[in-house]
Amino acid sequence: MAAAKMLDRLGRWWWWVMLGIAALWAMATWPAPSASRGAVTWLSHALVAAPPDRQPTHRAVQLPHAWREDGLPTSGAGRYASRFVVSATQVADARHRPWALRFDRLCQSHVIRLNGEHLHVATTDAGALSFPAGYLINVPAALLRTGENTLHVDVGCKAQGGMTLPLIGPTVDLRGEFVQRQILARWVPVGLNLACVTFSLFLVALWWQRRQERAIGLFGALYMITALRNLSYFVEVDLGTAPQFDSWMHLSAHTASVWLIGRFAMAFTGQQRRGYERILDLTGIGFPLVALAFCAWDPMLDTVRRVLQPALIALSLPALAILLRDRMSGQAVPQRYLAVGLACVLVAGLHDYLAIRQMGHIGALPWIAWAIPLGLAPFTLVVVGRVVQAFNAIEADNATLEQKVQARTQELADANAAKSRFLAAASHDLRQPVAAIGLLNDLLRERLTDHQARDLSERLSHAVVSMESLLKGLLDLSRLDAGTVEVQPRAVPLADLLGDIVSHEAEAARRKGLSLRVHTGQHQAWSDPLLLEQVLRNLVGNAVRHTERGGVLVSARPRAGQLLLQVWDTGPGIPEADQARVFEEFVQLGNPARDRHQGLGLGLAIVRRAVRLLGHALTLRSRPGHGTCFTLTVPQAIAPTRARHDTRAVVEPPAQTPLPPWRVLLVEDEADIRASLTRLFTGWGLEVRSAANLADARPLLAQPWDLAVSDHRLPDGTARDLAGWLADRHPGTPLVIITGDTAPERLADLARTGLPVLHKPFSAKKMRAMIVETMARVT
């Protein structure tokens, strides 16, 4: 739609652009000024040496003079002699202000002598030939004589042999019109054709990238050849090529242009003309070969070009007919203009053939230099329209793709949210019975005396611990996703940290016959000690768990202010296709039976989230059958520090130490957990009152309590409601929240309360330690 509107706007003013160029064209080709414009009086003009071999002759001529008028060849070398009269006043004027000699059209290869003295030399090669151009030459006053003066001009012309009327007078009187004429007759067409060359390169490059755009490629080649051929008319520098070669090249370029016009017309309209195609192909190959064969008899190809060029012009007419027929089919405005433009090109070519090649008029300008930019420019609109339409299509496709991506992203986000909700709900529902089983098993084990019964209780404990590990992994993932983990970077001595980790994994490595080594030196990392320990513990534990022979090496190496913490193993390795998957939840390679002894598939997922939170870089290199290396890049701490001390660690007193008889209010809706906690608290010497919901707990707030323990999600509210009531009635009463929630948003809400939280399932030891720590803060 946008492309159509743009083309419609261009179509409305395109005719004005073409008329403007046509007006400049008309101004540039306006007839040369008469002798009255000069300051001197001309007495006579004579051709004293005629082409082709500068044969002596003394014939009087009228300027402008064309050799063809006297039956002479249009190319070759000749000499003119002109006489003029300069008055004493004019000589005196020339001594006070500059005078000049002006030629509006003079072959670029020339030698000019005034009164026997060289005035201007454009070439030193007598055999050099060229096209006409304009010149404004300074005339020294010392060369002018009072009375009669003689001007000799030797010229070498490729075509348009002859000379226009020279003008001699004050420079200021001749320069203005000369500059205007040079701009219109030379620099404007040069600029237009240079623009054509640039645009043609774009078209050819476009075709090279999109070979299906054959019409654009053909038109680009046509534009390039014709524009370069036009520019050759204005080259003043002698390139050192033989005139015969230049003439043959021009004919070959004309032949190639006709072949391209015909091929382009058929490709552009989609019409095929088999007979026309064969004629074009034969012409494209045959005409240059014929011209080459006749070079020995016709060196400048004057006769050959007079015969072949009309045939080439006639061969362009079917292409125009094809485009005119397509114009009648009612296509876009620029396509209709293209046929008119090509007609202008053919008219210009016919004019140049007749006026320059046949008649040899020295004052005739090559119309083709203007016709190519004017006539072929409408196709620019077609290309611009196609490009704009392509961009619009790309934008539309991008918009559609973006909508699909947004929809797909939303689907993935919804699926991820549904997964998180499912895991949170399943984790919460599992935590309740697991917590109850763990607490009941702790109570049972304290009362069992039979050896076999205690052994069964221990086995039950192991099963509960496995379930707790799974639920703890889910909790860690949820906490990291929720953003509730506060990063507290500090200097961490790696020797202490990795020593603890290796000691913890040493027994597992010994049972498998693995070597477990650590090389850290005295380096210190700048990181959060707990999160860094969690990352390294998972990496080392995974390495030991998945390595069957060989060993595991843990090292720390400094590099450019960073520390490379690397965990190497000689395990089975990870295929490259699976290296990204191992960081996903529940992904385990080589464990289709989901053997829990090989882990739960959560360790590396936790590692990835923790590393992202810390802002460290983690890389993985692995070779299947050789092993794996995880590299964690951590900033290096420079300042020394004491041994690692975890300020957030829970200090647990010996289990046998009795607790003070604190009054504890317990609010828990799960009957089994409420009963188990009541028995535990009572067994520890605490005075306990319990409630199943907030409604039952509210009357109990009439009396003071040393401590309150409440589940977070209750049938009629949350633990935060209970915290508010305690703050109103018994300020300073500590509250411990127990919860089985793992949903990120709920964990974030709990973190904002600042209250101590104990996640289900938990052991009796953890609950006892939490109570001791909480009471230590308020006493």
Side-chain angles (χ1 to χ4, degrees), residues 533-589:
E533 179 180 3
Q534 185 179 35
V535 170
L536 293 174
R537 191 177 294 278
N538 273 294
L539 292 178
V540 175
N542 270 357
V544 172
R545 189 178 303 113
H546 295 289
T547 302
E548 298 300 329
R549 58 181 178 273
V552 176
L553 172 64
V554 185
S555 66
R557 296 186 293 119
R559 178 176 295 176
Q562 305 283 324
L563 285 174
L564 302 184
L565 306 183
Q566 295 181 313
V567 180
W568 302 77
D569 66 58
T570 57
I574 304 173
E576 185 176 357
D578 294 323
Q579 289 181 9
R581 293 181 54 243
V582 296
F583 292 99
E584 299 175 3
E585 300 92 336
F586 300 107
V587 172
Q588 288 184 299
L589 305 180

Side-chain angles (χ1 to χ4, degrees), residues 111-446:
V111 177
I112 303 175
R113 291 185 299 275
L114 179 59
N115 294 322
E117 299 291 336
H118 280 86
L119 181 63
H120 191 262
V121 179
T123 181
T124 58
D125 184 1
L129 304 179
S130 59
F131 294 106
Y135 291 92
L136 186 66
I137 303 167
N138 182 48
V139 177
L143 296 183
L144 290 174
R145 302 172 183 173
T146 301
E148 184 175 324
N149 293 259
T150 303
L151 180 71
H152 287 90
V153 181
D154 292 346
V155 294
C157 303
K158 285 184 179 179
Q160 295 178 267
M163 190 175 75
T164 60
L165 177 68
L167 302 178
I168 300 179
T171 304
V172 67
D173 295 338
L174 301 179
R175 178 184 291 123
E177 188 177 9
F178 174 80
V179 172
Q180 177 183 356
R181 187 172 179 82
Q182 283 294 103
I183 292 174
L184 293 174
R186 180 179 180 84
W187 297 117
V188 171
V190 167
L192 290 174
N193 282 275
L194 283 175
C196 291
V197 172
T198 303
F199 185 63
S200 69
L201 291 174
F202 165 73
L203 296 180
V204 172
L206 181 61
W207 166 78
W208 187 261
Q209 296 296 325
R210 289 177 54 84
R211 295 301 179 88
Q212 61 269 33
E213 298 289 351
R214 187 167 180 267
I216 290 179
L218 290 169
F219 190 83
L222 171 63
Y223 233 174
M224 183 179 300
I225 290 176
T226 53
L228 290 174
R229 181 170 175 261
N230 292 338
L231 290 173
S232 69
Y233 295 136
F234 305 98
V235 176
E236 296 185 11
V237 179
D238 182 12
L239 300 179
T241 57
Q244 297 88 340
F245 176 77
D246 292 345
S247 184
W248 181 82
M249 284 296 296
H250 275 78
L251 177 63
S252 299
H254 191 180
T255 304
S257 301
V258 172
W259 184 89
L260 289 168
I261 288 175
R263 287 288 184 175
F264 161 73
M266 289 183 286
F268 183 71
T269 61
Q271 303 179 31
Q272 286 188 338
R273 300 288 188 272
R274 296 297 184 186
Y276 186 41
E277 290 180 1
R278 294 190 185 96
I279 295 175
L280 286 174
D281 294 340
L282 290 174
T283 301
I285 299 174
F287 278 23
L289 293 178
V290 169
L292 194 62
F294 277 87
C295 281
W297 296 277
D298 186 13
M300 297 305 299
L301 300 179
D302 288 334
T303 304
V304 172
R305 295 183 70 175
R306 279 197 298 271
V307 172
L308 296 185
Q309 281 188 323
L312 291 174
I313 295 174
L315 197 58
S316 303
L317 295 176
L320 179 61
I322 292 173
L323 289 173
L324 286 173
R325 179 174 297 180
D326 185 65
R327 180 185 71 84
M328 299 305 293
S329 64
Q331 296 202 14
V333 172
Q335 293 173 314
R336 298 198 296 270
Y337 291 161
L338 183 57
V340 178
L342 285 179
C344 293
V345 172
L346 293 179
V347 170
L350 183 61
H351 163 270
D352 292 350
Y353 170 72
L354 295 175
I356 296 176
R357 184 60 56 184
Q358 291 293 329
M359 301 178 185
H361 289 323
I362 183 63
L365 289 172
W367 284 14
I368 199 70
W370 287 82
I372 293 298
L374 176 65
L376 302 185
F379 186 71
T380 304
L381 285 180
V382 179
V383 176
V384 170
R386 289 191 180 184
V387 172
V388 171
Q389 289 173 356
F391 277 126
N392 288 341
I394 291 173
E395 290 176 358
D397 292 342
N398 286 341
T400 303
L401 180 60
E402 185 175 354
Q403 292 175 354
K404 291 181 179 179
V405 170
Q406 290 178 349
R408 182 59 177 164
T409 302
Q410 186 60 43
E411 292 175 2
L412 292 175
D414 293 343
N416 190 53
K419 180 197 72 173
S420 298
R421 289 193 299 269
F422 168 76
L423 291 177
S427 176
H428 178 271
D429 293 343
L430 286 172
R431 285 172 185 276
Q432 303 288 0
V434 171
I437 293 172
L439 292 174
L440 290 172
N441 186 59
D442 289 341
L443 290 172
L444 179 62
R445 189 168 58 252
E446 292 177 359

